[in-house]
Protein backbone atom coordinates (compact mmCIF):
# COMPACT_ATOMS: atom_id res chain seq x y z
CA UNK A 1 0.00 0.00 0.00
CA UNK A 2 1.07 3.51 -0.61
CA UNK A 3 -0.07 6.86 0.68
CA UNK A 4 -0.48 6.45 4.43
CA UNK A 5 -0.03 9.78 6.22
CA UNK A 6 3.03 8.86 8.29
CA UNK A 7 2.17 10.73 11.48
CA UNK A 8 -1.32 9.19 11.44
CA UNK A 9 0.36 5.78 11.54
CA UNK A 10 3.28 6.48 13.88
CA UNK A 11 1.42 8.71 16.37
CA UNK A 12 -1.28 6.16 17.30
CA UNK A 13 1.29 3.33 17.07
CA UNK A 14 3.48 5.01 19.71
CA UNK A 15 0.47 5.83 21.90
CA UNK A 16 -0.60 2.18 21.78
CA UNK A 17 2.89 0.91 22.60
CA UNK A 18 3.27 3.41 25.45
CA UNK A 19 -0.04 2.13 26.87
CA UNK A 20 1.16 -1.49 26.75
CA UNK A 21 -0.60 -2.60 23.56
CA UNK A 22 1.20 -4.47 20.76
CA UNK A 23 0.22 -2.89 17.44
CA UNK A 24 0.33 -5.01 14.28
CA UNK A 25 0.57 -3.53 10.79
CA UNK A 26 -1.93 -5.27 8.52
CA UNK A 27 -2.09 -4.61 4.77
CA UNK A 28 -3.40 -6.39 1.68
CA UNK A 29 0.07 -7.49 0.58
CA UNK A 30 3.30 -8.64 2.19
CA UNK A 31 6.35 -6.39 2.13
CA UNK A 32 6.36 -2.75 3.09
CA UNK A 33 3.89 0.12 3.05
CA UNK A 34 4.96 3.54 1.85
CA UNK A 35 4.13 6.43 4.14
CA UNK A 36 3.93 10.06 3.09
CA UNK A 37 4.26 13.45 4.72
CA UNK A 38 1.44 15.11 2.82
CA UNK A 39 2.55 14.70 -0.82
CA UNK A 40 6.19 13.76 -0.14
CA UNK A 41 7.42 10.19 0.28
CA UNK A 42 8.47 9.46 3.83
CA UNK A 43 9.44 6.18 5.49
CA UNK A 44 8.54 2.61 4.61
CA UNK A 45 7.12 0.27 7.25
CA UNK A 46 7.14 -3.54 7.19
CA UNK A 47 3.81 -5.33 7.03
CA UNK A 48 3.37 -7.75 9.94
CA UNK A 49 0.38 -9.67 8.56
CA UNK A 50 -1.84 -9.57 5.51
CA UNK A 51 -5.59 -8.99 5.46
CA UNK A 52 -6.04 -12.57 4.21
CA UNK A 53 -4.18 -13.92 7.26
CA UNK A 54 -6.16 -12.18 10.01
CA UNK A 55 -9.60 -12.20 11.59
CA UNK A 56 -11.40 -9.67 13.75
CA UNK A 57 -11.02 -12.03 16.73
CA UNK A 58 -7.21 -11.69 16.48
CA UNK A 59 -7.32 -8.09 17.72
CA UNK A 60 -8.72 -5.89 20.47
CA UNK A 61 -9.47 -3.12 17.98
CA UNK A 62 -8.62 -1.48 14.69
CA UNK A 63 -6.85 1.80 13.92
CA UNK A 64 -7.17 3.21 10.41
CA UNK A 65 -4.60 5.89 9.53
CA UNK A 66 -5.45 8.43 6.88
CA UNK A 67 -3.67 9.95 3.96
CA UNK A 68 -5.57 10.49 0.74
CA UNK A 69 -4.14 7.71 -1.45
CA UNK A 70 -4.13 4.85 1.07
CA UNK A 71 -7.82 4.74 2.07
CA UNK A 72 -8.89 5.57 -1.48
CA UNK A 73 -7.04 2.50 -2.80
CA UNK A 74 -7.85 0.34 0.21
CA UNK A 75 -11.60 0.83 -0.14
CA UNK A 76 -11.42 -1.01 -3.48
CA UNK A 77 -10.04 -4.12 -1.73
CA UNK A 78 -13.09 -6.24 -0.85
CA UNK A 79 -11.26 -8.27 1.80
CA UNK A 80 -10.04 -5.13 3.58
CA UNK A 81 -13.53 -3.61 3.50
CA UNK A 82 -15.00 -6.87 4.85
CA UNK A 83 -12.46 -6.83 7.69
CA UNK A 84 -13.40 -3.27 8.65
CA UNK A 85 -17.09 -4.17 8.44
CA UNK A 86 -16.45 -7.13 10.74
CA UNK A 87 -14.83 -4.93 13.38
CA UNK A 88 -17.71 -2.44 13.30
CA UNK A 89 -20.50 -5.02 13.23
CA UNK A 90 -18.88 -6.93 16.08
CA UNK A 91 -18.74 -3.80 18.23
CA UNK A 92 -14.93 -3.83 18.43
CA UNK A 93 -13.18 -0.50 18.90
CA UNK A 94 -12.39 1.21 15.60
CA UNK A 95 -10.43 4.46 15.40
CA UNK A 96 -10.16 6.27 12.05
CA UNK A 97 -8.58 9.60 11.24
CA UNK A 98 -8.74 12.00 8.31
CA UNK A 99 -9.43 10.27 4.97
CA UNK A 100 -9.53 6.81 6.62
CA UNK A 101 -13.23 7.47 7.15
CA UNK A 102 -13.64 6.41 3.49
CA UNK A 103 -13.11 2.84 4.69
CA UNK A 104 -16.02 3.23 7.11
CA UNK A 105 -18.21 4.66 4.36
CA UNK A 106 -17.31 1.77 2.05
CA UNK A 107 -18.03 -0.76 4.81
CA UNK A 108 -21.47 0.81 5.38
CA UNK A 109 -20.39 1.57 8.93
CA UNK A 110 -21.42 5.23 9.29
CA UNK A 111 -25.19 4.91 8.94
CA UNK A 112 -26.90 6.43 12.01
CA UNK A 113 -23.49 7.29 13.55
CA UNK A 114 -21.96 10.67 14.34
CA UNK A 115 -18.38 11.17 13.24
CA UNK A 116 -15.83 13.59 11.91
CA UNK A 117 -13.22 13.44 9.16
CA UNK A 118 -11.22 15.64 6.86
CA UNK A 119 -13.84 18.24 5.84
CA UNK A 120 -13.96 17.20 2.17
CA UNK A 121 -15.48 13.84 3.20
CA UNK A 122 -18.51 15.30 4.97
CA UNK A 123 -20.76 14.82 1.93
CA UNK A 124 -19.63 11.18 1.65
CA UNK A 125 -20.50 10.65 5.32
CA UNK A 126 -23.92 12.27 4.94
CA UNK A 127 -24.68 10.36 1.73
CA UNK A 128 -23.84 7.13 3.60
CA UNK A 129 -26.38 7.97 6.31
CA UNK A 130 -24.05 9.39 8.95
CA UNK A 131 -23.99 12.70 10.76
CA UNK A 132 -20.81 14.70 10.16
CA UNK A 133 -19.57 17.23 12.72
CA UNK A 134 -16.52 19.48 12.75
CA UNK A 135 -14.80 18.49 16.01
CA UNK A 136 -11.26 17.35 16.77
CA UNK A 137 -12.47 13.97 17.98
CA UNK A 138 -15.84 12.21 18.10
CA UNK A 139 -16.60 9.01 19.98
CA UNK A 140 -19.81 7.23 19.01
CA UNK A 141 -19.98 3.97 20.93
CA UNK A 142 -16.86 2.02 19.97
CA UNK A 143 -16.09 4.30 16.99
CA UNK A 144 -13.51 7.08 17.35
CA UNK A 145 -12.90 9.57 14.54
CA UNK A 146 -10.77 12.68 14.02
CA UNK A 147 -10.16 15.21 11.26
CA UNK A 148 -6.41 15.66 10.75
CA UNK A 149 -2.91 15.25 12.18
CA UNK A 150 -3.35 18.26 14.48
CA UNK A 151 -6.09 16.26 16.25
CA UNK A 152 -3.78 13.33 17.09
CA UNK A 153 -3.46 14.07 20.84
CA UNK A 154 -7.26 14.00 21.28
CA UNK A 155 -7.61 11.08 18.84
CA UNK A 156 -5.00 9.00 20.67
CA UNK A 157 -6.57 9.70 24.07
CA UNK A 158 -10.06 8.76 22.86
CA UNK A 159 -8.72 5.66 21.08
CA UNK A 160 -7.01 4.49 24.28
CA UNK A 161 -10.16 5.20 26.34
CA UNK A 162 -12.30 3.04 24.04
CA UNK A 163 -9.66 0.29 23.91
CA UNK A 164 -9.36 0.41 27.71
CA UNK A 165 -13.01 -0.46 27.99
CA UNK A 166 -12.34 -3.81 26.26
CA UNK A 167 -8.76 -4.42 27.37
Amino acid sequence: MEGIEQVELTGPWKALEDAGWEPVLVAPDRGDVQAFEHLDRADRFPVDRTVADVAVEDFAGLVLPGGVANPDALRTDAAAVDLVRGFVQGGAPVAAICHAIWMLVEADAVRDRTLTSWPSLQTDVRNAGGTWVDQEVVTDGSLVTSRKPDDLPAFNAAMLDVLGAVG
Side-chain angles (χ1 to χ4, degrees), residues 17-143:
E17 286 183 330
D18 289 351
W21 294 94
E22 295 179 26
V24 175
L25 183 57
V26 178
D29 301 310
R30 298 188 192 294
D32 292 336
V33 295
Q34 176 67 60
F36 277 70
E37 291 178 8
H38 303 292
L39 299 176
D40 298 322
R41 286 186 185 277
D43 297 322
R44 296 186 68 80
F45 297 89
V47 172
D48 297 314
R49 296 177 66 190
T50 67
V51 171
D53 297 330
V54 300
V56 173
E57 300 77 29
D58 296 340
F59 304 100
L62 176 66
V63 179
L64 296 166
V68 177
N70 177 61
D72 191 44
L74 198 56
R75 67 184 173 158
T76 66
D77 184 302
V81 173
D82 286 345
L83 185 64
V84 171
R85 186 178 299 113
F87 273 94
V88 174
Q89 288 178 346
V94 175
I97 187 167
C98 200
H99 286 80
I101 280 72
W102 269 334
M103 286 298 291
L104 300 173
V105 168
E106 196 67 34
D108 193 23
V110 304
R111 187 173 316 282
D112 301 323
R113 310 286 294 261
T114 299
L115 62 151
T116 193
S117 67
W118 184 253
S120 66
L121 278 67
Q122 63 185 291
T123 300
D124 297 326
V125 169
R126 289 183 183 124
N127 287 343
T131 300
W132 187 89
V133 295
D134 186 13
Q135 296 175 8
E136 72 177 349
V137 67
V138 175
T139 301
D140 183 328
S142 60
L143 179 63

Side-chain angles (χ1 to χ4, degrees), residues 16 21 59-63 92-95 144 157-167:
L16 288 165
W21 294 94
F59 304 100
L62 176 66
V63 179
V94 175
V144 176
M159 169 190 69
L160 290 172
D161 283 347
V162 171
L163 277 169
V166 299

